[in-house]
Amino acid sequence: MMRYESLELLGSPFKIVDTYVYDEGPQTFAMRSVGIPDLYYFVNTVDEDDDSLTALSVAVSGDRYRAVRSGLVEFRDAFTRAGAQALTFITWSWSSGSAEPMISMQIVSGMDVSDDWLPVVGVRLDLRTDTLPAYDEAELVSLSQAQNRTVFALEVGASGRLTSELPLRAAGELQGFLNGGVEALARSAARRAKKTAKASIRPVKGSTQSRVVAEFTPLSLGTRAASYVFVMAIDSGGALEATEVSAAAFEDLNGLVRAVNSENSASLLAAMRRQPARVRSNFSHLLTALTGIDSGLTVAASIANSNSIIRSSATASQVRYASDAIKSAKPKLKLVEIRRGVLTGHILASRTFVLTDLASGITYRGHMEDEAALQANGLPVGDSSFVSGRVRVEIPFAADEDESGRTCMLETLASSDS
Amino acid sequence: MEGMTTDPEAHGLSIYASLEELVICRNLNPRTRAKTVAEVTIAIADGDLLHSPIPDGMTHHDWWTAPYDLIPVARIVKEGGTP
């Protein structure tokens, strides 16, 4: 077998890191310089007869190696578009009576290589390749210790992606919903903490939010491989982080992920019900975003000063199952009797309405049922159009209870005296 | 190599369950591209099979033929030198 590791090329000795074609020894492979970081070679044996073997090698950087390995770049292009002085023909010749071959090398240009000695046009390697620094969970503890704050990570993996990449839209959604979810969990945890340990929560003047929550902001620290990892931290605005709040928030988040992992829709919905609507909404959207890229998730957090990691995971199929279970969960229905309201507007053709309840000040927008549409026909609209009616409000299981998450149906409508 | 029963390289044949995977691997290397691709159907009595995936070939297997010099019936599906 050939001793490629000791070839006298720049960066020798080498270590074979990938073998793509093996036939009584590596025939197409990649090797890395032991002494020079970030120097790789692709080697392809191209010709053989009774007395000699010829191979073509190309020196590439680590970035180029990973681009070719992942299939972003055709394998042939690694040779035909080689850098200056990077392409070498290596020939081993055996003369009779000698056990050791004579090795000759010749630097060539990609243009000078016969088509017969190149990979077929269009053929690519097709290997999952990390193109970002590797993710090491211990980094979370180390960063958390060094920065004295909670550091956490969301690990996802988009199917079909061979490099460390994620569609921008999915990346934005995942970070946005995680941010919203963590903030909402912190609010909820702070409320609980306030009940049990009032001393640790200092109210902000003029605000119902605790200072702890106002100063609880998730930050992005960077991305890692594989497949794709967001590393984030909690910014507590210069104040000492309220670790009882962050610990409770991340324990709750892990509880939700464990409920997804359970593949039990009843326990998942029960775990969701224990959380406020904003948490349910953000977590549900997070699962939907993961479903869009066919990914599972791992959430890991190192709470400030804890020196440890809490972690939970769910697979892509568990995420899909959970997302479907949440979407099919029974919505909350509410019938609102409006004794005195203002019909701000309606359009009969599209059966839409806008009605403000003067008692609560809440404005309802939505669609009219047949009966209400008949009753609305001919009614004036505007600030002085006083009406009574009944609105059916439907709030999906994982929607915000504010206007954006609910749907309204006007069931009945009648004019009332001013 | 006859008699080297403990050395898998002495007898193992590389085979792929997927023609697509085999063709990609074959077309990476000019020497293997020159080889002809044939389809064989392997019965239990024809030897031992080991699923031995390689980086670019998840359907790669090693086949230790029985007897070691078995010449199986094969159907040529791709001539040597054709991409």
Side-chain angles (χ1 to χ4, degrees), chain A residues 44-351:
Chain A
N44 217 0
T45 57
V46 294
D47 196 23
E48 185 181 35
D49 59 29
D50 290 345
D51 304 320
S52 69
L53 172 71
T54 301
L56 188 57
S57 80
V58 59
V60 292
S61 67
D63 285 339
R64 182 73 166 169
Y65 160 69
R66 288 182 282 275
V68 173
R69 187 182 191 277
S70 70
L72 281 175
V73 174
E74 280 187 25
F75 193 55
R76 182 187 175 98
D77 285 352
F79 298 93
T80 57
R81 300 191 178 183
Q85 310 282 307
L87 202 56
T88 307
F89 269 124
I90 308 161
T91 303
W92 292 261
S93 308
W94 287 266
S95 53
S96 55
S98 170
E100 288 299 313
M102 195 176 78
I103 302 173
S104 63
M105 295 190 191
Q106 181 193 357
I107 292 174
V108 290
S109 150
M111 308 293 285
D112 299 336
V113 179
S114 157
D115 198 54
D116 292 342
W117 286 8
L118 287 167
V120 169
V121 174
V123 173
R124 295 168 193 269
L125 297 173
D126 190 23
L127 305 170
R128 281 194 80 97
T129 305
D130 296 345
T131 47
L132 284 174
Y135 171 57
D136 178 2
E137 213 170 60
E139 181 188 3
L140 299 186
V141 177
S142 161
L143 274 173
S144 174
Q145 279 179 334
Q147 301 180 356
N148 227 6
R149 58 183 176 181
T150 295
V151 178
F152 61 108
L154 170 66
E155 184 174 5
V156 301
S159 73
R161 303 268 158 185
L162 291 172
T163 56
S164 308
E165 61 188 18
L166 203 59
L168 192 56
R169 179 178 177 157
E173 285 177 345
L174 290 170
Q175 290 200 87
F177 295 130
L178 187 63
N179 175 68
V182 168
E183 279 185 344
L185 283 164
R187 267 193 201 93
S188 168
R191 273 196 297 274
R192 294 200 304 268
K194 194 176 179 181
K195 286 180 189 166
T196 53
K198 285 186 180 173
S200 65
I201 311 291
R202 290 160 291 174
V204 175
K205 198 176 175 184
S207 165
T208 55
Q209 276 190 351
S210 71
R211 177 173 169 187
V212 166
V213 172
E215 292 173 349
F216 193 95
T217 311
L219 292 174
S220 175
L221 296 187
T223 48
R224 303 282 187 279
S227 310
Y228 200 85
V229 185
F230 301 96
V231 181
M232 290 155 281
I234 297 302
D235 178 19
S236 50
L240 201 60
E241 183 180 321
T243 50
E244 74 278 18
V245 169
S246 25
F250 282 99
E251 191 46 57
D252 285 352
L253 179 59
N254 275 268
L256 289 172
V257 176
R258 281 196 297 272
V260 171
N261 179 279
S262 73
E263 294 186 63
N264 180 324
S265 57
S267 62
L268 170 67
L269 297 182
M272 293 277 278
R273 270 191 202 98
R274 287 194 287 274
Q275 299 299 335
R278 183 139 295 180
V279 173
R280 292 203 298 271
S281 167
N282 276 289
F283 191 67
S284 170
H285 282 120
L286 183 73
L287 296 181
T288 304
L290 289 167
T291 303
I293 53 171
D294 196 21
S295 171
L297 82 164
T298 296
V299 174
S302 178
I303 306 298
N305 312 317
S306 73
N307 241 353
S308 62
I309 283 185
I310 51 174
R311 173 196 312 104
S312 53
S313 291
T315 63
S317 65
Q318 288 167 340
V319 166
R320 189 172 294 280
Y321 177 84
S323 182
D324 290 346
I326 290 168
K327 280 176 188 148
S328 56
K330 200 173 161 187
K332 192 158 103 184
L333 283 176
K334 206 162 62 173
L335 281 178
V336 182
E337 292 289 348
I338 298 175
R339 297 187 190 288
R340 190 166 169 79
V342 174
L343 185 62
T344 314
H346 69 71
I347 301 171
L348 283 175
S350 59
R351 297 204 165 187

Side-chain angles (χ1 to χ4, degrees), chain A residues 4-18 29-43 57-63 65-66:
Chain A
Y4 297 107
E5 291 88 341
S6 57
L7 274 173
E8 289 187 12
L9 290 163
L10 177 68
S12 181
F14 303 101
K15 182 178 185 323
I16 293 181
V17 288
D18 280 326
F29 58 96
M31 58 187 191
R32 175 174 59 79
S33 166
V34 172
I36 300 180
D38 215 39
L39 176 62
Y40 290 79
Y41 284 82
F42 287 111
V43 182
S57 80
V58 59
V60 292
S61 67
D63 285 339
Y65 160 69
R66 288 182 282 275

